[in-house]
Amino acid sequence: MSGDLQHDPDEIPRFLEKIEEGYDLVSGWLYQRRGHWLLRQVPSRVANWMMAKLSGIDLHDFGTTFKAYRREIIQEIQLYGELHRFIPALASSTGAKIAELPIASVAGKEDKKRYGIARTIRVLLDLIIVKFLLDTDAAWAIFGLVGVGSTALSVLLWLVLALDKFYFHIALIKDWAR
């Protein structure tokens, strides 16, 4: 949970009950997000929708830090950079059973953090990393396509230069020592 008292500690027993029901990970869902609707709520909904679609995990809120985990699941996950918001997606790849509980923000404890474009870019880059970690076929497809395209362009340029050199007798390297 957040260290800034944004979440109510009285919610902890509900999370532990879900763990006792057999879930490996219980994620909080801040269903009444505070903050300006255009600058905070809409970007949050869009980001959570993107994360759910790309990760294949049906969660409403990936960013809320109020979560409960079984130790065995967390020990199997490799975290890089700021991938903590993607723990549910990474845990699902290990076969974790995931639940989500709605939680409320504590009154008067609005999130005072400043989220700028740099953070948004980091989240998008992390989302690409998670997609590659979860779906190696996607990584192979993208990097394979880049590799094939680069090779094709190199061969095409080599053919143009060979045609200039051997058919049109154009000097490819000029005397630069003048």
Side-chain angles (χ1 to χ4, degrees):
M1 67 188 300
S2 290
D4 61 1
L5 301 177
Q6 181 183 7
H7 304 117
D8 185 359
D10 292 337
E11 300 272 10
I12 293 172
R14 291 178 52 222
F15 281 70
L16 295 177
E17 286 172 10
K18 282 291 186 187
I19 294 287
E20 289 173 7
E21 287 176 20
Y23 290 98
D24 299 306
L25 187 152
V26 184
S27 183
W29 166 27
L30 198 58
Y31 64 95
Q32 291 179 334
R33 187 167 293 280
R34 298 174 189 262
H36 190 274
W37 70 273
L38 183 61
L39 299 175
R40 187 77 172 111
Q41 293 178 17
V42 170
S44 177
R45 285 194 180 127
V46 170
N48 283 311
W49 177 82
M50 282 178 51
M51 287 186 246
K53 291 300 174 197
L54 287 175
S55 70
I57 307 302
D58 191 23
L59 289 181
H60 293 93
D61 193 349
F62 282 80
T64 298
T65 56
F66 202 146
K67 293 178 173 48
Y69 317 97
R70 287 192 187 277
R71 178 188 310 196
E72 302 80 25
I73 293 299
I74 288 299
Q75 288 175 334
E76 290 184 36
I77 296 174
Q78 296 292 321
L79 291 179
Y80 308 98
E82 297 185 19
L83 296 186
H84 61 275
R85 63 184 63 81
F86 300 104
I87 288 175
L90 297 169
S92 74
S93 70
T94 67
K97 189 175 174 187
I98 300 171
E100 185 174 47
L101 288 176
I103 59 172
S105 195
V106 174
K109 295 289 183 184
E110 295 189 23
D111 194 1
K112 300 290 184 196
K113 298 178 188 112
R114 301 289 176 232
Y115 297 106
I117 193 69
R119 180 179 179 268
T120 303
I121 291 169
R122 281 195 314 267
V123 169
L124 289 173
L125 292 173
D126 286 345
L127 186 57
I128 292 168
I129 291 169
V130 168
K131 180 63 178 170
F132 287 167
L133 289 173
L134 296 176
D135 184 4
T136 55
D137 289 342
W140 280 109
I142 289 173
F143 290 119
L145 185 62
V146 169
V148 167
S150 298
T151 302
L153 182 61
S154 297
V155 168
L156 179 66
L157 289 173
W158 182 85
L159 289 172
V160 167
L161 290 173
L163 185 68
D164 283 350
K165 172 74 176 165
F166 298 114
Y167 186 75
F168 294 113
H169 304 290
I170 297 173
L172 300 178
I173 300 176
K174 298 189 181 215
D175 183 13
W176 295 99
R178 291 183 197 186

